[in-house]
Amino acid sequence: DIQMTQSPPSLSASVGDRVTITCQASQDISNNLSWYQQKPGKAPKLLIFGASNLETGVPSRFSGSGSGTHFIFTISSLQPEDIATYFCQQYYSLPFTFGPGTKADIK
Amino acid sequence: EVQLVESGGGLIQPGGSLRLSCAASGFSVSSSQMNWVRQAPGKGLEWISVFYSGGDTHYADSVKGRFTISRDTSKNTLFLQMNSLSADDTAVYYCARGYCRSNSCYSGLFDSWGQGTLVTVSS
């Protein structure tokens, strides 16, 4: 199975700050990497697929990059509504696996 | 509008069985890749099963041999039959649709999720 790791496990930033989350895959997954946002008590929401493609309707302050084993997720200007847990996920091969999540909070 | 509504969760004793349902609307489950993903309380996301449009199914090792995914196209509904349940199966269970756009589908990418149904395994 492909193991996904994320850092940091949690972050606290001010409104307007640039926030970065990294995700590492245990083997090469090309660009088969997605990012999901999950707010408390809600289902996850797809934000980015193909490592860098923004899902329709997702604000442009969210972005992703990377390929192979190392990926980066960025919020260019943190907003109060971005308080959530963010998960990376590989869909390169079965079983599809998720990172442990990064909980983002407002300072 | 695409909608997924799970049901069937509840409190069940260890060793028991439960069947979850996921009623879909706004699209056809028969032409979609459908998945179950679970989340233990306060924990991360775990993919557990997929039903491909062609009929193939796959399972995570953690549920293989105990869980069975199926669909009823006449009811546009996905199911998850769960047997031999243990405390480790306690989680919110989500159904999720596979991502397809402009005739391109991505196995393992999920664009629509239900609200989830809580399964609690406890004596």
Side-chain angles (χ1 to χ4, degrees):
Chain A
D1 298 2
I2 298 174
Q3 309 302 317
M4 307 299 293
T5 56
Q6 279 181 244
S7 63
S10 64
L11 62 90
S12 185
S14 300
V15 172
D17 280 355
R18 184 181 185 88
V19 165
T20 296
I21 299 169
T22 63
C23 176
Q24 190 101 12
S26 61
Q27 66 184 73
D28 189 340
I29 59 170
S30 185
N31 68 337
N32 295 286
L33 189 283
S34 58
W35 291 94
Y36 294 87
Q37 175 193 66
Q38 186 179 34
K39 296 184 177 180
K42 300 295 186 181
K45 174 187 175 183
L46 177 64
L47 299 181
I48 287 170
F49 64 97
S52 60
N53 298 292
L54 205 62
E55 170 67 334
T56 303
V58 174
S60 60
R61 64 179 180 274
F62 296 100
S63 65
S65 64
S67 183
T69 62
H70 187 72
F71 302 88
I72 295 173
F73 173 81
T74 301
I75 307 174
S76 60
S77 176
L78 187 69
Q79 299 301 304
E81 59 267 32
D82 300 336
I83 300 312
T85 301
Y86 294 86
F87 295 93
C88 62
Q89 180 234 344
Q90 67 81 18
Y91 52 98
Y92 178 80
S93 67
L94 285 161
F96 310 123
T97 47
F98 293 84
T102 295
K103 189 172 183 179
D105 202 355
I106 295 288
K107 193 181 295 182
Chain B
E1 180 194 4
V2 171
Q3 194 171 15
L4 296 166
V5 179
E6 300 95 336
S7 61
L11 176 64
I12 186 77
Q13 290 191 338
S17 298
L18 212 54
R19 189 174 87 151
L20 305 183
S21 300
C22 171
S25 57
F27 73 101
S28 172
V29 297
S30 63
S31 57
S32 302
Q33 172 209 145
M34 297 298 298
N35 299 263
W36 288 99
V37 178
R38 69 183 180 183
Q39 186 170 34
K43 302 296 185 182
L45 298 163
E46 180 188 17
W47 170 86
I48 57 173
S49 186
V50 60
F51 197 115
Y52 286 108
S53 57
D56 285 350
T57 60
H58 294 274
Y59 300 90
D61 286 347
S62 59
V63 305
K64 198 175 295 183
R66 300 187 300 122
F67 289 12
T68 302
I69 191 172
S70 63
R71 69 186 181 190
D72 184 332
T73 55
S74 68
K75 296 180 180 178
N76 211 31
T77 299
L78 180 74
F79 301 100
L80 186 69
Q81 176 67 41
M82 306 186 296
N83 299 329
S84 304
L85 287 161
S86 73
D88 289 343
D89 297 314
T90 293
V92 173
Y93 285 73
Y94 295 100
C95 65
R97 187 183 72 164
Y99 186 106
C100 283
R101 294 286 189 279
S102 304
N103 296 323
S104 292
C105 295
Y106 300 88
S107 176
L109 183 61
F110 315 123
D111 69 349
S112 297
W113 299 65
Q115 85 288 352
T117 186
L118 175 63
V119 173
T120 304
V121 185
S122 175
S123 54

PDB file of all heavy atoms in Angstrom, chain B residues 7-42:
ATOM      1  N   SER B   7     -27.915   5.792   4.856  1.00  0.00           N
ATOM      2  CA  SER B   7     -28.779   5.394   5.965  1.00  0.00           C
ATOM      3  C   SER B   7     -28.387   3.997   6.414  1.00  0.00           C
ATOM      4  O   SER B   7     -27.607   3.306   5.735  1.00  0.00           O
ATOM      5  CB  SER B   7     -30.250   5.425   5.539  1.00  0.00           C
ATOM      6  OG  SER B   7     -30.470   4.519   4.471  1.00  0.00           O
ATOM      7  N   GLY B   8     -28.912   3.596   7.562  1.00  0.00           N
ATOM      8  CA  GLY B   8     -28.677   2.241   8.041  1.00  0.00           C
ATOM      9  C   GLY B   8     -27.703   2.124   9.193  1.00  0.00           C
ATOM     10  O   GLY B   8     -27.514   1.034   9.737  1.00  0.00           O
ATOM     11  N   GLY B   9     -27.071   3.220   9.560  1.00  0.00           N
ATOM     12  CA  GLY B   9     -26.139   3.159  10.672  1.00  0.00           C
ATOM     13  C   GLY B   9     -26.857   3.026  12.001  1.00  0.00           C
ATOM     14  O   GLY B   9     -28.081   3.120  12.085  1.00  0.00           O
ATOM     15  N   GLY B  10     -26.093   2.787  13.046  1.00  0.00           N
ATOM     16  CA  GLY B  10     -26.675   2.650  14.380  1.00  0.00           C
ATOM     17  C   GLY B  10     -25.737   1.923  15.312  1.00  0.00           C
ATOM     18  O   GLY B  10     -24.568   1.697  14.991  1.00  0.00           O
ATOM     19  N   LEU B  11     -26.265   1.556  16.460  1.00  0.00           N
ATOM     20  CA  LEU B  11     -25.496   0.830  17.471  1.00  0.00           C
ATOM     21  C   LEU B  11     -25.681  -0.667  17.246  1.00  0.00           C
ATOM     22  O   LEU B  11     -26.804  -1.163  17.128  1.00  0.00           O
ATOM     23  CB  LEU B  11     -25.982   1.222  18.864  1.00  0.00           C
ATOM     24  CG  LEU B  11     -25.356   0.484  20.045  1.00  0.00           C
ATOM     25  CD1 LEU B  11     -23.857   0.773  20.135  1.00  0.00           C
ATOM     26  CD2 LEU B  11     -26.061   0.887  21.348  1.00  0.00           C
ATOM     27  N   ILE B  12     -24.572  -1.389  17.175  1.00  0.00           N
ATOM     28  CA  ILE B  12     -24.606  -2.824  16.929  1.00  0.00           C
ATOM     29  C   ILE B  12     -23.580  -3.495  17.828  1.00  0.00           C
ATOM     30  O   ILE B  12     -22.509  -2.938  18.104  1.00  0.00           O
ATOM     31  CB  ILE B  12     -24.328  -3.133  15.438  1.00  0.00           C
ATOM     32  CG1 ILE B  12     -24.513  -4.606  15.132  1.00  0.00           C
ATOM     33  CG2 ILE B  12     -22.964  -2.640  15.033  1.00  0.00           C
ATOM     34  CD1 ILE B  12     -25.946  -5.036  15.026  1.00  0.00           C
ATOM     35  N   GLN B  13     -23.906  -4.681  18.293  1.00  0.00           N
ATOM     36  CA  GLN B  13     -22.997  -5.415  19.170  1.00  0.00           C
ATOM     37  C   GLN B  13     -21.849  -6.044  18.381  1.00  0.00           C
ATOM     38  O   GLN B  13     -22.008  -6.358  17.187  1.00  0.00           O
ATOM     39  CB  GLN B  13     -23.763  -6.506  19.916  1.00  0.00           C
ATOM     40  CG  GLN B  13     -24.734  -5.989  20.959  1.00  0.00           C
ATOM     41  CD  GLN B  13     -25.272  -7.086  21.851  1.00  0.00           C
ATOM     42  OE1 GLN B  13     -25.266  -8.259  21.488  1.00  0.00           O
ATOM     43  NE2 GLN B  13     -25.744  -6.711  23.042  1.00  0.00           N
ATOM     44  N   PRO B  14     -20.708  -6.217  19.022  1.00  0.00           N
ATOM     45  CA  PRO B  14     -19.595  -6.905  18.342  1.00  0.00           C
ATOM     46  C   PRO B  14     -20.036  -8.264  17.801  1.00  0.00           C
ATOM     47  O   PRO B  14     -20.779  -8.994  18.457  1.00  0.00           O
ATOM     48  CB  PRO B  14     -18.557  -7.065  19.446  1.00  0.00           C
ATOM     49  CG  PRO B  14     -18.841  -5.946  20.382  1.00  0.00           C
ATOM     50  CD  PRO B  14     -20.341  -5.779  20.377  1.00  0.00           C
ATOM     51  N   GLY B  15     -19.582  -8.556  16.576  1.00  0.00           N
ATOM     52  CA  GLY B  15     -19.962  -9.792  15.912  1.00  0.00           C
ATOM     53  C   GLY B  15     -21.222  -9.677  15.094  1.00  0.00           C
ATOM     54  O   GLY B  15     -21.549 -10.601  14.319  1.00  0.00           O
ATOM     55  N   GLY B  16     -21.909  -8.565  15.221  1.00  0.00           N
ATOM     56  CA  GLY B  16     -23.167  -8.377  14.514  1.00  0.00           C
ATOM     57  C   GLY B  16     -22.992  -7.933  13.078  1.00  0.00           C
ATOM     58  O   GLY B  16     -21.863  -7.759  12.590  1.00  0.00           O
ATOM     59  N   SER B  17     -24.123  -7.757  12.404  1.00  0.00           N
ATOM     60  CA  SER B  17     -24.144  -7.353  11.001  1.00  0.00           C
ATOM     61  C   SER B  17     -25.022  -6.132  10.818  1.00  0.00           C
ATOM     62  O   SER B  17     -25.955  -5.891  11.599  1.00  0.00           O
ATOM     63  CB  SER B  17     -24.687  -8.491  10.120  1.00  0.00           C
ATOM     64  OG  SER B  17     -23.870  -9.631  10.194  1.00  0.00           O
ATOM     65  N   LEU B  18     -24.713  -5.395   9.776  1.00  0.00           N
ATOM     66  CA  LEU B  18     -25.463  -4.178   9.462  1.00  0.00           C
ATOM     67  C   LEU B  18     -25.379  -3.957   7.967  1.00  0.00           C
ATOM     68  O   LEU B  18     -24.362  -4.295   7.334  1.00  0.00           O
ATOM     69  CB  LEU B  18     -24.840  -2.995  10.207  1.00  0.00           C
ATOM     70  CG  LEU B  18     -25.702  -1.828  10.682  1.00  0.00           C
ATOM     71  CD1 LEU B  18     -26.865  -2.307  11.540  1.00  0.00           C
ATOM     72  CD2 LEU B  18     -24.847  -0.832  11.449  1.00  0.00           C
ATOM     73  N   ARG B  19     -26.436  -3.415   7.384  1.00  0.00           N
ATOM     74  CA  ARG B  19     -26.386  -3.060   5.964  1.00  0.00           C
ATOM     75  C   ARG B  19     -26.642  -1.571   5.811  1.00  0.00           C
ATOM     76  O   ARG B  19     -27.680  -1.064   6.238  1.00  0.00           O
ATOM     77  CB  ARG B  19     -27.407  -3.841   5.140  1.00  0.00           C
ATOM     78  CG  ARG B  19     -27.220  -3.640   3.637  1.00  0.00           C
ATOM     79  CD  ARG B  19     -28.111  -4.494   2.781  1.00  0.00           C
ATOM     80  NE  ARG B  19     -29.411  -3.868   2.539  1.00  0.00           N
ATOM     81  CZ  ARG B  19     -30.135  -4.069   1.447  1.00  0.00           C
ATOM     82  NH1 ARG B  19     -29.693  -4.871   0.484  1.00  0.00           N
ATOM     83  NH2 ARG B  19     -31.315  -3.494   1.319  1.00  0.00           N
ATOM     84  N   LEU B  20     -25.676  -0.916   5.191  1.00  0.00           N
ATOM     85  CA  LEU B  20     -25.797   0.508   4.904  1.00  0.00           C
ATOM     86  C   LEU B  20     -26.334   0.707   3.498  1.00  0.00           C
ATOM     87  O   LEU B  20     -26.060  -0.080   2.594  1.00  0.00           O
ATOM     88  CB  LEU B  20     -24.440   1.202   5.024  1.00  0.00           C
ATOM     89  CG  LEU B  20     -23.693   1.031   6.344  1.00  0.00           C
ATOM     90  CD1 LEU B  20     -22.393   1.852   6.314  1.00  0.00           C
ATOM     91  CD2 LEU B  20     -24.551   1.398   7.533  1.00  0.00           C
ATOM     92  N   SER B  21     -27.092   1.777   3.322  1.00  0.00           N
ATOM     93  CA  SER B  21     -27.608   2.149   2.008  1.00  0.00           C
ATOM     94  C   SER B  21     -27.155   3.552   1.652  1.00  0.00           C
ATOM     95  O   SER B  21     -26.945   4.392   2.538  1.00  0.00           O
ATOM     96  CB  SER B  21     -29.143   2.111   1.990  1.00  0.00           C
ATOM     97  OG  SER B  21     -29.631   0.835   2.301  1.00  0.00           O
ATOM     98  N   CYS B  22     -27.016   3.793   0.369  1.00  0.00           N
ATOM     99  CA  CYS B  22     -26.670   5.120  -0.137  1.00  0.00           C
ATOM    100  C   CYS B  22     -27.566   5.383  -1.335  1.00  0.00           C
ATOM    101  O   CYS B  22     -27.348   4.825  -2.416  1.00  0.00           O
ATOM    102  CB  CYS B  22     -25.205   5.181  -0.526  1.00  0.00           C
ATOM    103  SG  CYS B  22     -24.723   6.686  -1.412  1.00  0.00           S
ATOM    104  N   ALA B  23     -28.586   6.205  -1.126  1.00  0.00           N
ATOM    105  CA  ALA B  23     -29.526   6.527  -2.189  1.00  0.00           C
ATOM    106  C   ALA B  23     -28.984   7.695  -3.009  1.00  0.00           C
ATOM    107  O   ALA B  23     -28.672   8.755  -2.452  1.00  0.00           O
ATOM    108  CB  ALA B  23     -30.882   6.871  -1.599  1.00  0.00           C
ATOM    109  N   ALA B  24     -28.882   7.484  -4.301  1.00  0.00           N
ATOM    110  CA  ALA B  24     -28.328   8.501  -5.185  1.00  0.00           C
ATOM    111  C   ALA B  24     -29.427   9.171  -5.994  1.00  0.00           C
ATOM    112  O   ALA B  24     -30.430   8.543  -6.347  1.00  0.00           O
ATOM    113  CB  ALA B  24     -27.306   7.874  -6.136  1.00  0.00           C
ATOM    114  N   SER B  25     -29.234  10.441  -6.282  1.00  0.00           N
ATOM    115  CA  SER B  25     -30.135  11.170  -7.175  1.00  0.00           C
ATOM    116  C   SER B  25     -29.319  12.154  -7.992  1.00  0.00           C
ATOM    117  O   SER B  25     -28.236  12.578  -7.570  1.00  0.00           O
ATOM    118  CB  SER B  25     -31.231  11.894  -6.384  1.00  0.00           C
ATOM    119  OG  SER B  25     -30.674  12.782  -5.440  1.00  0.00           O
ATOM    120  N   GLY B  26     -29.829  12.486  -9.159  1.00  0.00           N
ATOM    121  CA  GLY B  26     -29.138  13.418 -10.036  1.00  0.00           C
ATOM    122  C   GLY B  26     -28.149  12.767 -10.972  1.00  0.00           C
ATOM    123  O   GLY B  26     -27.538  13.451 -11.792  1.00  0.00           O
ATOM    124  N   PHE B  27     -27.950  11.484 -10.838  1.00  0.00           N
ATOM    125  CA  PHE B  27     -27.067  10.720 -11.715  1.00  0.00           C
ATOM    126  C   PHE B  27     -27.394   9.242 -11.536  1.00  0.00           C
ATOM    127  O   PHE B  27     -28.145   8.872 -10.639  1.00  0.00           O
ATOM    128  CB  PHE B  27     -25.598  10.989 -11.400  1.00  0.00           C
ATOM    129  CG  PHE B  27     -25.116  10.350 -10.114  1.00  0.00           C
ATOM    130  CD1 PHE B  27     -24.392   9.177 -10.134  1.00  0.00           C
ATOM    131  CD2 PHE B  27     -25.430  10.914  -8.881  1.00  0.00           C
ATOM    132  CE1 PHE B  27     -23.972   8.575  -8.957  1.00  0.00           C
ATOM    133  CE2 PHE B  27     -25.021  10.334  -7.699  1.00  0.00           C
ATOM    134  CZ  PHE B  27     -24.286   9.161  -7.739  1.00  0.00           C
ATOM    135  N   SER B  28     -26.780   8.405 -12.353  1.00  0.00           N
ATOM    136  CA  SER B  28     -27.039   6.972 -12.293  1.00  0.00           C
ATOM    137  C   SER B  28     -25.863   6.226 -11.674  1.00  0.00           C
ATOM    138  O   SER B  28     -24.722   6.357 -12.129  1.00  0.00           O
ATOM    139  CB  SER B  28     -27.288   6.437 -13.704  1.00  0.00           C
ATOM    140  OG  SER B  28     -27.361   5.029 -13.691  1.00  0.00           O
ATOM    141  N   VAL B  29     -26.132   5.421 -10.648  1.00  0.00           N
ATOM    142  CA  VAL B  29     -25.057   4.650 -10.023  1.00  0.00           C
ATOM    143  C   VAL B  29     -24.536   3.588 -10.989  1.00  0.00           C
ATOM    144  O   VAL B  29     -23.393   3.138 -10.872  1.00  0.00           O
ATOM    145  CB  VAL B  29     -25.504   3.983  -8.695  1.00  0.00           C
ATOM    146  CG1 VAL B  29     -25.870   5.033  -7.663  1.00  0.00           C
ATOM    147  CG2 VAL B  29     -26.620   3.001  -8.916  1.00  0.00           C
ATOM    148  N   SER B  30     -25.369   3.178 -11.944  1.00  0.00           N
ATOM    149  CA  SER B  30     -24.954   2.110 -12.854  1.00  0.00           C
ATOM    150  C   SER B  30     -23.831   2.560 -13.790  1.00  0.00           C
ATOM    151  O   SER B  30     -23.053   1.733 -14.277  1.00  0.00           O
ATOM    152  CB  SER B  30     -26.134   1.619 -13.683  1.00  0.00           C
ATOM    153  OG  SER B  30     -26.628   2.661 -14.509  1.00  0.00           O
ATOM    154  N   SER B  31     -23.735   3.860 -14.020  1.00  0.00           N
ATOM    155  CA  SER B  31     -22.706   4.371 -14.915  1.00  0.00           C
ATOM    156  C   SER B  31     -21.590   5.096 -14.175  1.00  0.00           C
ATOM    157  O   SER B  31     -20.777   5.793 -14.780  1.00  0.00           O
ATOM    158  CB  SER B  31     -23.309   5.300 -15.963  1.00  0.00           C
ATOM    159  OG  SER B  31     -23.999   6.358 -15.346  1.00  0.00           O
ATOM    160  N   SER B  32     -21.562   4.923 -12.856  1.00  0.00           N
ATOM    161  CA  SER B  32     -20.578   5.623 -12.028  1.00  0.00           C
ATOM    162  C   SER B  32     -19.766   4.647 -11.199  1.00  0.00           C
ATOM    163  O   SER B  32     -20.224   3.563 -10.872  1.00  0.00           O
ATOM    164  CB  SER B  32     -21.265   6.614 -11.084  1.00  0.00           C
ATOM    165  OG  SER B  32     -22.025   7.562 -11.794  1.00  0.00           O
ATOM    166  N   GLN B  33     -18.555   5.084 -10.848  1.00  0.00           N
ATOM    167  CA  GLN B  33     -17.750   4.361  -9.876  1.00  0.00           C
ATOM    168  C   GLN B  33     -18.228   4.824  -8.503  1.00  0.00           C
ATOM    169  O   GLN B  33     -18.238   6.011  -8.234  1.00  0.00           O
ATOM    170  CB  GLN B  33     -16.281   4.720 -10.063  1.00  0.00           C
ATOM    171  CG  GLN B  33     -15.341   4.197  -9.016  1.00  0.00           C
ATOM    172  CD  GLN B  33     -14.121   5.113  -8.836  1.00  0.00           C
ATOM    173  OE1 GLN B  33     -13.621   5.271  -7.736  1.00  0.00           O
ATOM    174  NE2 GLN B  33     -13.642   5.721  -9.888  1.00  0.00           N
ATOM    175  N   MET B  34     -18.623   3.889  -7.643  1.00  0.00           N
ATOM    176  CA  MET B  34     -19.158   4.250  -6.337  1.00  0.00           C
ATOM    177  C   MET B  34     -18.295   3.649  -5.233  1.00  0.00           C
ATOM    178  O   MET B  34     -17.854   2.503  -5.338  1.00  0.00           O
ATOM    179  CB  MET B  34     -20.594   3.768  -6.192  1.00  0.00           C
ATOM    180  CG  MET B  34     -21.565   4.406  -7.187  1.00  0.00           C
ATOM    181  SD  MET B  34     -21.694   6.180  -7.012  1.00  0.00           S
ATOM    182  CE  MET B  34     -22.349   6.338  -5.349  1.00  0.00           C
ATOM    183  N   ASN B  35     -18.074   4.425  -4.194  1.00  0.00           N
ATOM    184  CA  ASN B  35     -17.149   4.025  -3.138  1.00  0.00           C
ATOM    185  C   ASN B  35     -17.767   4.182  -1.756  1.00  0.00           C
ATOM    186  O   ASN B  35     -18.696   4.954  -1.562  1.00  0.00           O
ATOM    187  CB  ASN B  35     -15.906   4.926  -3.187  1.00  0.00           C
ATOM    188  CG  ASN B  35     -15.146   4.840  -4.481  1.00  0.00           C
ATOM    189  OD1 ASN B  35     -14.156   4.121  -4.605  1.00  0.00           O
ATOM    190  ND2 ASN B  35     -15.592   5.596  -5.476  1.00  0.00           N
ATOM    191  N   TRP B  36     -17.174   3.460  -0.807  1.00  0.00           N
ATOM    192  CA  TRP B  36     -17.416   3.688   0.609  1.00  0.00           C
ATOM    193  C   TRP B  36     -16.102   4.113   1.251  1.00  0.00           C
ATOM    194  O   TRP B  36     -15.054   3.494   1.018  1.00  0.00           O
ATOM    195  CB  TRP B  36     -17.960   2.441   1.294  1.00  0.00           C
ATOM    196  CG  TRP B  36     -19.378   2.117   0.925  1.00  0.00           C
ATOM    197  CD1 TRP B  36     -19.795   1.202   0.007  1.00  0.00           C
ATOM    198  CD2 TRP B  36     -20.567   2.690   1.477  1.00  0.00           C
ATOM    199  NE1 TRP B  36     -21.162   1.184  -0.056  1.00  0.00           N
ATOM    200  CE2 TRP B  36     -21.666   2.085   0.832  1.00  0.00           C
ATOM    201  CE3 TRP B  36     -20.813   3.672   2.452  1.00  0.00           C
ATOM    202  CZ2 TRP B  36     -22.986   2.423   1.133  1.00  0.00           C
ATOM    203  CZ3 TRP B  36     -22.123   4.007   2.751  1.00  0.00           C
ATOM    204  CH2 TRP B  36     -23.192   3.379   2.096  1.00  0.00           C
ATOM    205  N   VAL B  37     -16.179   5.173   2.038  1.00  0.00           N
ATOM    206  CA  VAL B  37     -15.041   5.701   2.784  1.00  0.00           C
ATOM    207  C   VAL B  37     -15.503   5.888   4.223  1.00  0.00           C
ATOM    208  O   VAL B  37     -16.618   6.366   4.449  1.00  0.00           O
ATOM    209  CB  VAL B  37     -14.564   7.053   2.204  1.00  0.00           C
ATOM    210  CG1 VAL B  37     -13.408   7.625   3.035  1.00  0.00           C
ATOM    211  CG2 VAL B  37     -14.158   6.907   0.743  1.00  0.00           C
ATOM    212  N   ARG B  38     -14.672   5.511   5.183  1.00  0.00           N
ATOM    213  CA  ARG B  38     -15.096   5.662   6.568  1.00  0.00           C
ATOM    214  C   ARG B  38     -14.116   6.523   7.353  1.00  0.00           C
ATOM    215  O   ARG B  38     -12.973   6.726   6.948  1.00  0.00           O
ATOM    216  CB  ARG B  38     -15.272   4.311   7.252  1.00  0.00           C
ATOM    217  CG  ARG B  38     -13.985   3.536   7.489  1.00  0.00           C
ATOM    218  CD  ARG B  38     -14.305   2.166   8.114  1.00  0.00           C
ATOM    219  NE  ARG B  38     -13.095   1.386   8.349  1.00  0.00           N
ATOM    220  CZ  ARG B  38     -13.106   0.143   8.831  1.00  0.00           C
ATOM    221  NH1 ARG B  38     -14.259  -0.467   9.113  1.00  0.00           N
ATOM    222  NH2 ARG B  38     -11.956  -0.509   9.022  1.00  0.00           N
ATOM    223  N   GLN B  39     -14.600   7.024   8.484  1.00  0.00           N
ATOM    224  CA  GLN B  39     -13.797   7.894   9.340  1.00  0.00           C
ATOM    225  C   GLN B  39     -14.127   7.582  10.789  1.00  0.00           C
ATOM    226  O   GLN B  39     -15.225   7.887  11.270  1.00  0.00           O
ATOM    227  CB  GLN B  39     -14.089   9.362   9.018  1.00  0.00           C
ATOM    228  CG  GLN B  39     -13.196  10.342   9.749  1.00  0.00           C
ATOM    229  CD  GLN B  39     -13.366  11.762   9.218  1.00  0.00           C
ATOM    230  OE1 GLN B  39     -14.456  12.171   8.819  1.00  0.00           O
ATOM    231  NE2 GLN B  39     -12.281  12.518   9.183  1.00  0.00           N
ATOM    232  N   ALA B  40     -13.176   6.956  11.471  1.00  0.00           N
ATOM    233  CA  ALA B  40     -13.343   6.689  12.893  1.00  0.00           C
ATOM    234  C   ALA B  40     -13.390   8.015  13.657  1.00  0.00           C
ATOM    235  O   ALA B  40     -12.820   9.021  13.192  1.00  0.00           O
ATOM    236  CB  ALA B  40     -12.210   5.815  13.403  1.00  0.00           C
ATOM    237  N   PRO B  41     -14.061   8.054  14.799  1.00  0.00           N
ATOM    238  CA  PRO B  41     -14.209   9.311  15.545  1.00  0.00           C
ATOM    239  C   PRO B  41     -12.874   9.995  15.805  1.00  0.00           C
ATOM    240  O   PRO B  41     -11.953   9.393  16.370  1.00  0.00           O
ATOM    241  CB  PRO B  41     -14.871   8.857  16.852  1.00  0.00           C
ATOM    242  CG  PRO B  41     -15.605   7.621  16.484  1.00  0.00           C
ATOM    243  CD  PRO B  41     -14.766   6.929  15.450  1.00  0.00           C
ATOM    244  N   GLY B  42     -12.754  11.243  15.380  1.00  0.00           N
ATOM    245  CA  GLY B  42     -11.543  12.014  15.593  1.00  0.00           C
ATOM    246  C   GLY B  42     -10.343  11.576  14.775  1.00  0.00           C
ATOM    247  O   GLY B  42      -9.223  12.043  15.014  1.00  0.00           O
TER     248      GLY B  42
END
